[in-house]
Amino acid sequence: MYGKLDNPVYHSLNEYHKKFCLNFGNSKFYNPEVAAFGGASDIGKEEDIAEYAKICDDFLVFGAKPTVNFATALSQLVCDQYVLENKIEIDFTEDIVLITEENHKELNDFILKFYPYYFKKRTPELGRYFGIFKDEKLVAVTGERMQMDDMTEVSAVITDTDYLGKGYAKQLVAFVSGKIFDDNKTPFLHVAESNMGAKKLYDKLGFGHRGKINLWGVKR
């Protein structure tokens, strides 16, 4: 089952997220209004990726290095991929709430402050997002992004810098992972290789390190 995680975008768009899929030859890409991600069944052909670049001039290709002679820039981000096989047992001390459509603007504004490259206006359509509010202000969030029929990615693990050290990320990751297990799916996630603090948290929570995966940033 975990073999699909070698190419999570491709398999998400081939399964649970079909309605967001744009097909280009051997490659599958998300509608760029939802997420600027793509993946290929094998090494992405230049013409496939060039077609997507006509409608999205700054995006990510997961997995093997693509051939993109047309691009003005190609950058590499190495991520660690983690999988969780059992529910996280912790005490929840904060009220964690589902972020509904009426709060999507606040969610968008919050996440875009920290991860503008990975989040689009319609990204919340990919899954559920949960947050912690203080004084009616969103201060921490975690959600779901890529989804296959049997696996869901935990994403956007973000805490406002004024509220760090309070265990919000720990509780949100445990909570969202639990919801994914309740759906009879397996949680997985990606974190930049250099983000040692986040990796220590995931190790502590019981996530298993599956390996490395490359994200290639393509600019037309």
Side-chain angles (χ1 to χ4, degrees), residues 193-214:
E193 185 181 48
S194 60
N195 193 343
M196 300 306 298
K199 293 198 298 186
K200 286 180 181 178
L201 172 63
Y202 301 140
D203 289 337
K204 186 176 181 180
L205 289 175
F207 280 83
H209 182 248
R210 184 174 180 271
K212 308 285 185 181
I213 187 167
N214 290 310

PDB file of all heavy atoms in Angstrom, residues 193-214:
ATOM      1  N   GLU A 193      13.446  18.562   4.906  1.00  0.00           N
ATOM      2  CA  GLU A 193      14.566  17.842   5.514  1.00  0.00           C
ATOM      3  C   GLU A 193      15.255  18.679   6.586  1.00  0.00           C
ATOM      4  O   GLU A 193      15.734  18.148   7.601  1.00  0.00           O
ATOM      5  CB  GLU A 193      15.550  17.470   4.414  1.00  0.00           C
ATOM      6  CG  GLU A 193      16.722  16.628   4.837  1.00  0.00           C
ATOM      7  CD  GLU A 193      17.637  16.332   3.662  1.00  0.00           C
ATOM      8  OE1 GLU A 193      17.986  17.274   2.924  1.00  0.00           O
ATOM      9  OE2 GLU A 193      17.994  15.157   3.476  1.00  0.00           O
ATOM     10  N   SER A 194      15.274  19.997   6.400  1.00  0.00           N
ATOM     11  CA  SER A 194      15.982  20.886   7.326  1.00  0.00           C
ATOM     12  C   SER A 194      15.169  21.271   8.566  1.00  0.00           C
ATOM     13  O   SER A 194      15.709  21.890   9.482  1.00  0.00           O
ATOM     14  CB  SER A 194      16.387  22.165   6.582  1.00  0.00           C
ATOM     15  OG  SER A 194      15.232  22.829   6.077  1.00  0.00           O
ATOM     16  N   ASN A 195      13.888  20.917   8.605  1.00  0.00           N
ATOM     17  CA  ASN A 195      13.007  21.328   9.700  1.00  0.00           C
ATOM     18  C   ASN A 195      13.134  20.346  10.866  1.00  0.00           C
ATOM     19  O   ASN A 195      12.267  19.494  11.103  1.00  0.00           O
ATOM     20  CB  ASN A 195      11.561  21.423   9.213  1.00  0.00           C
ATOM     21  CG  ASN A 195      10.652  22.131  10.201  1.00  0.00           C
ATOM     22  OD1 ASN A 195      10.984  22.297  11.375  1.00  0.00           O
ATOM     23  ND2 ASN A 195       9.487  22.550   9.734  1.00  0.00           N
ATOM     24  N   MET A 196      14.205  20.487  11.617  1.00  0.00           N
ATOM     25  CA  MET A 196      14.507  19.517  12.670  1.00  0.00           C
ATOM     26  C   MET A 196      13.477  19.541  13.799  1.00  0.00           C
ATOM     27  O   MET A 196      13.142  18.502  14.376  1.00  0.00           O
ATOM     28  CB  MET A 196      15.909  19.785  13.233  1.00  0.00           C
ATOM     29  CG  MET A 196      17.026  19.684  12.205  1.00  0.00           C
ATOM     30  SD  MET A 196      17.020  18.091  11.314  1.00  0.00           S
ATOM     31  CE  MET A 196      17.314  16.957  12.670  1.00  0.00           C
ATOM     32  N   GLY A 197      12.946  20.722  14.131  1.00  0.00           N
ATOM     33  CA  GLY A 197      11.972  20.811  15.210  1.00  0.00           C
ATOM     34  C   GLY A 197      10.725  20.017  14.900  1.00  0.00           C
ATOM     35  O   GLY A 197      10.216  19.264  15.760  1.00  0.00           O
ATOM     36  N   ALA A 198      10.213  20.155  13.681  1.00  0.00           N
ATOM     37  CA  ALA A 198       9.011  19.413  13.286  1.00  0.00           C
ATOM     38  C   ALA A 198       9.289  17.913  13.248  1.00  0.00           C
ATOM     39  O   ALA A 198       8.456  17.107  13.688  1.00  0.00           O
ATOM     40  CB  ALA A 198       8.522  19.904  11.930  1.00  0.00           C
ATOM     41  N   LYS A 199      10.458  17.534  12.748  1.00  0.00           N
ATOM     42  CA  LYS A 199      10.772  16.101  12.662  1.00  0.00           C
ATOM     43  C   LYS A 199      10.870  15.465  14.049  1.00  0.00           C
ATOM     44  O   LYS A 199      10.438  14.331  14.254  1.00  0.00           O
ATOM     45  CB  LYS A 199      12.063  15.898  11.867  1.00  0.00           C
ATOM     46  CG  LYS A 199      11.909  16.292  10.398  1.00  0.00           C
ATOM     47  CD  LYS A 199      12.981  15.714   9.506  1.00  0.00           C
ATOM     48  CE  LYS A 199      14.368  16.156   9.814  1.00  0.00           C
ATOM     49  NZ  LYS A 199      15.352  15.679   8.827  1.00  0.00           N
ATOM     50  N   LYS A 200      11.396  16.210  15.005  1.00  0.00           N
ATOM     51  CA  LYS A 200      11.455  15.695  16.379  1.00  0.00           C
ATOM     52  C   LYS A 200      10.047  15.487  16.935  1.00  0.00           C
ATOM     53  O   LYS A 200       9.780  14.514  17.641  1.00  0.00           O
ATOM     54  CB  LYS A 200      12.243  16.657  17.270  1.00  0.00           C
ATOM     55  CG  LYS A 200      13.738  16.627  17.030  1.00  0.00           C
ATOM     56  CD  LYS A 200      14.465  17.613  17.944  1.00  0.00           C
ATOM     57  CE  LYS A 200      15.970  17.605  17.690  1.00  0.00           C
ATOM     58  NZ  LYS A 200      16.675  18.598  18.535  1.00  0.00           N
ATOM     59  N   LEU A 201       9.140  16.416  16.617  1.00  0.00           N
ATOM     60  CA  LEU A 201       7.757  16.285  17.072  1.00  0.00           C
ATOM     61  C   LEU A 201       7.118  15.040  16.478  1.00  0.00           C
ATOM     62  O   LEU A 201       6.487  14.247  17.198  1.00  0.00           O
ATOM     63  CB  LEU A 201       6.953  17.522  16.682  1.00  0.00           C
ATOM     64  CG  LEU A 201       5.436  17.433  16.924  1.00  0.00           C
ATOM     65  CD1 LEU A 201       5.135  17.265  18.406  1.00  0.00           C
ATOM     66  CD2 LEU A 201       4.720  18.651  16.347  1.00  0.00           C
ATOM     67  N   TYR A 202       7.293  14.814  15.178  1.00  0.00           N
ATOM     68  CA  TYR A 202       6.663  13.670  14.540  1.00  0.00           C
ATOM     69  C   TYR A 202       7.247  12.357  15.048  1.00  0.00           C
ATOM     70  O   TYR A 202       6.520  11.372  15.225  1.00  0.00           O
ATOM     71  CB  TYR A 202       6.792  13.786  13.014  1.00  0.00           C
ATOM     72  CG  TYR A 202       6.167  15.049  12.463  1.00  0.00           C
ATOM     73  CD1 TYR A 202       6.781  15.781  11.445  1.00  0.00           C
ATOM     74  CD2 TYR A 202       4.975  15.548  12.986  1.00  0.00           C
ATOM     75  CE1 TYR A 202       6.215  16.942  10.956  1.00  0.00           C
ATOM     76  CE2 TYR A 202       4.407  16.711  12.498  1.00  0.00           C
ATOM     77  CZ  TYR A 202       5.025  17.405  11.502  1.00  0.00           C
ATOM     78  OH  TYR A 202       4.474  18.567  11.025  1.00  0.00           O
ATOM     79  N   ASP A 203       8.552  12.337  15.290  1.00  0.00           N
ATOM     80  CA  ASP A 203       9.165  11.150  15.888  1.00  0.00           C
ATOM     81  C   ASP A 203       8.559  10.866  17.259  1.00  0.00           C
ATOM     82  O   ASP A 203       8.217   9.726  17.587  1.00  0.00           O
ATOM     83  CB  ASP A 203      10.677  11.340  16.021  1.00  0.00           C
ATOM     84  CG  ASP A 203      11.414  11.301  14.692  1.00  0.00           C
ATOM     85  OD1 ASP A 203      10.870  10.715  13.734  1.00  0.00           O
ATOM     86  OD2 ASP A 203      12.526  11.860  14.609  1.00  0.00           O
ATOM     87  N   LYS A 204       8.402  11.908  18.045  1.00  0.00           N
ATOM     88  CA  LYS A 204       7.865  11.765  19.398  1.00  0.00           C
ATOM     89  C   LYS A 204       6.422  11.278  19.387  1.00  0.00           C
ATOM     90  O   LYS A 204       5.998  10.509  20.262  1.00  0.00           O
ATOM     91  CB  LYS A 204       7.961  13.102  20.133  1.00  0.00           C
ATOM     92  CG  LYS A 204       7.564  13.049  21.595  1.00  0.00           C
ATOM     93  CD  LYS A 204       7.798  14.399  22.265  1.00  0.00           C
ATOM     94  CE  LYS A 204       7.414  14.349  23.739  1.00  0.00           C
ATOM     95  NZ  LYS A 204       7.645  15.669  24.397  1.00  0.00           N
ATOM     96  N   LEU A 205       5.667  11.707  18.387  1.00  0.00           N
ATOM     97  CA  LEU A 205       4.255  11.323  18.302  1.00  0.00           C
ATOM     98  C   LEU A 205       4.064   9.917  17.744  1.00  0.00           C
ATOM     99  O   LEU A 205       2.946   9.403  17.746  1.00  0.00           O
ATOM    100  CB  LEU A 205       3.497  12.333  17.439  1.00  0.00           C
ATOM    101  CG  LEU A 205       3.288  13.719  18.058  1.00  0.00           C
ATOM    102  CD1 LEU A 205       2.634  14.659  17.043  1.00  0.00           C
ATOM    103  CD2 LEU A 205       2.434  13.634  19.323  1.00  0.00           C
ATOM    104  N   GLY A 206       5.132   9.306  17.253  1.00  0.00           N
ATOM    105  CA  GLY A 206       5.031   7.930  16.780  1.00  0.00           C
ATOM    106  C   GLY A 206       4.970   7.756  15.272  1.00  0.00           C
ATOM    107  O   GLY A 206       4.735   6.643  14.786  1.00  0.00           O
ATOM    108  N   PHE A 207       5.176   8.829  14.518  1.00  0.00           N
ATOM    109  CA  PHE A 207       5.235   8.691  13.065  1.00  0.00           C
ATOM    110  C   PHE A 207       6.495   7.919  12.679  1.00  0.00           C
ATOM    111  O   PHE A 207       7.566   8.122  13.255  1.00  0.00           O
ATOM    112  CB  PHE A 207       5.274  10.070  12.395  1.00  0.00           C
ATOM    113  CG  PHE A 207       3.942  10.748  12.281  1.00  0.00           C
ATOM    114  CD1 PHE A 207       3.426  11.454  13.353  1.00  0.00           C
ATOM    115  CD2 PHE A 207       3.217  10.674  11.101  1.00  0.00           C
ATOM    116  CE1 PHE A 207       2.191  12.098  13.250  1.00  0.00           C
ATOM    117  CE2 PHE A 207       1.990  11.306  10.992  1.00  0.00           C
ATOM    118  CZ  PHE A 207       1.470  12.021  12.067  1.00  0.00           C
ATOM    119  N   GLY A 208       6.364   7.041  11.702  1.00  0.00           N
ATOM    120  CA  GLY A 208       7.511   6.301  11.198  1.00  0.00           C
ATOM    121  C   GLY A 208       8.097   6.982   9.982  1.00  0.00           C
ATOM    122  O   GLY A 208       7.360   7.395   9.075  1.00  0.00           O
ATOM    123  N   HIS A 209       9.412   7.111   9.969  1.00  0.00           N
ATOM    124  CA  HIS A 209      10.092   7.758   8.832  1.00  0.00           C
ATOM    125  C   HIS A 209      10.169   6.785   7.673  1.00  0.00           C
ATOM    126  O   HIS A 209      10.800   5.734   7.765  1.00  0.00           O
ATOM    127  CB  HIS A 209      11.493   8.204   9.241  1.00  0.00           C
ATOM    128  CG  HIS A 209      12.241   8.902   8.158  1.00  0.00           C
ATOM    129  ND1 HIS A 209      13.347   8.368   7.542  1.00  0.00           N
ATOM    130  CD2 HIS A 209      12.019  10.103   7.555  1.00  0.00           C
ATOM    131  CE1 HIS A 209      13.794   9.210   6.623  1.00  0.00           C
ATOM    132  NE2 HIS A 209      13.008  10.266   6.606  1.00  0.00           N
ATOM    133  N   ARG A 210       9.520   7.129   6.566  1.00  0.00           N
ATOM    134  CA  ARG A 210       9.492   6.227   5.415  1.00  0.00           C
ATOM    135  C   ARG A 210      10.660   6.453   4.469  1.00  0.00           C
ATOM    136  O   ARG A 210      11.140   5.518   3.828  1.00  0.00           O
ATOM    137  CB  ARG A 210       8.173   6.392   4.650  1.00  0.00           C
ATOM    138  CG  ARG A 210       8.037   5.414   3.487  1.00  0.00           C
ATOM    139  CD  ARG A 210       6.679   5.474   2.830  1.00  0.00           C
ATOM    140  NE  ARG A 210       6.651   4.517   1.743  1.00  0.00           N
ATOM    141  CZ  ARG A 210       7.011   4.785   0.495  1.00  0.00           C
ATOM    142  NH1 ARG A 210       7.408   6.017   0.183  1.00  0.00           N
ATOM    143  NH2 ARG A 210       6.967   3.854  -0.427  1.00  0.00           N
ATOM    144  N   GLY A 211      11.132   7.686   4.362  1.00  0.00           N
ATOM    145  CA  GLY A 211      12.243   7.967   3.456  1.00  0.00           C
ATOM    146  C   GLY A 211      12.189   9.397   2.958  1.00  0.00           C
ATOM    147  O   GLY A 211      11.461  10.240   3.483  1.00  0.00           O
ATOM    148  N   LYS A 212      12.982   9.667   1.931  1.00  0.00           N
ATOM    149  CA  LYS A 212      13.069  11.005   1.346  1.00  0.00           C
ATOM    150  C   LYS A 212      12.216  11.083   0.086  1.00  0.00           C
ATOM    151  O   LYS A 212      12.022  10.087  -0.615  1.00  0.00           O
ATOM    152  CB  LYS A 212      14.517  11.346   0.983  1.00  0.00           C
ATOM    153  CG  LYS A 212      15.525  11.163   2.107  1.00  0.00           C
ATOM    154  CD  LYS A 212      15.417  12.267   3.135  1.00  0.00           C
ATOM    155  CE  LYS A 212      16.512  12.123   4.190  1.00  0.00           C
ATOM    156  NZ  LYS A 212      16.429  13.167   5.227  1.00  0.00           N
ATOM    157  N   ILE A 213      11.739  12.284  -0.193  1.00  0.00           N
ATOM    158  CA  ILE A 213      11.037  12.516  -1.444  1.00  0.00           C
ATOM    159  C   ILE A 213      11.420  13.907  -1.948  1.00  0.00           C
ATOM    160  O   ILE A 213      11.575  14.841  -1.148  1.00  0.00           O
ATOM    161  CB  ILE A 213       9.509  12.374  -1.291  1.00  0.00           C
ATOM    162  CG1 ILE A 213       8.816  12.442  -2.653  1.00  0.00           C
ATOM    163  CG2 ILE A 213       8.943  13.422  -0.335  1.00  0.00           C
ATOM    164  CD1 ILE A 213       7.353  11.990  -2.626  1.00  0.00           C
ATOM    165  N   ASN A 214      11.604  14.025  -3.244  1.00  0.00           N
ATOM    166  CA  ASN A 214      12.007  15.296  -3.837  1.00  0.00           C
ATOM    167  C   ASN A 214      10.798  16.070  -4.338  1.00  0.00           C
ATOM    168  O   ASN A 214       9.891  15.509  -4.948  1.00  0.00           O
ATOM    169  CB  ASN A 214      12.956  15.060  -5.013  1.00  0.00           C
ATOM    170  CG  ASN A 214      14.305  14.546  -4.564  1.00  0.00           C
ATOM    171  OD1 ASN A 214      14.924  15.107  -3.666  1.00  0.00           O
ATOM    172  ND2 ASN A 214      14.777  13.471  -5.176  1.00  0.00           N
TER     173      ASN A 214
END
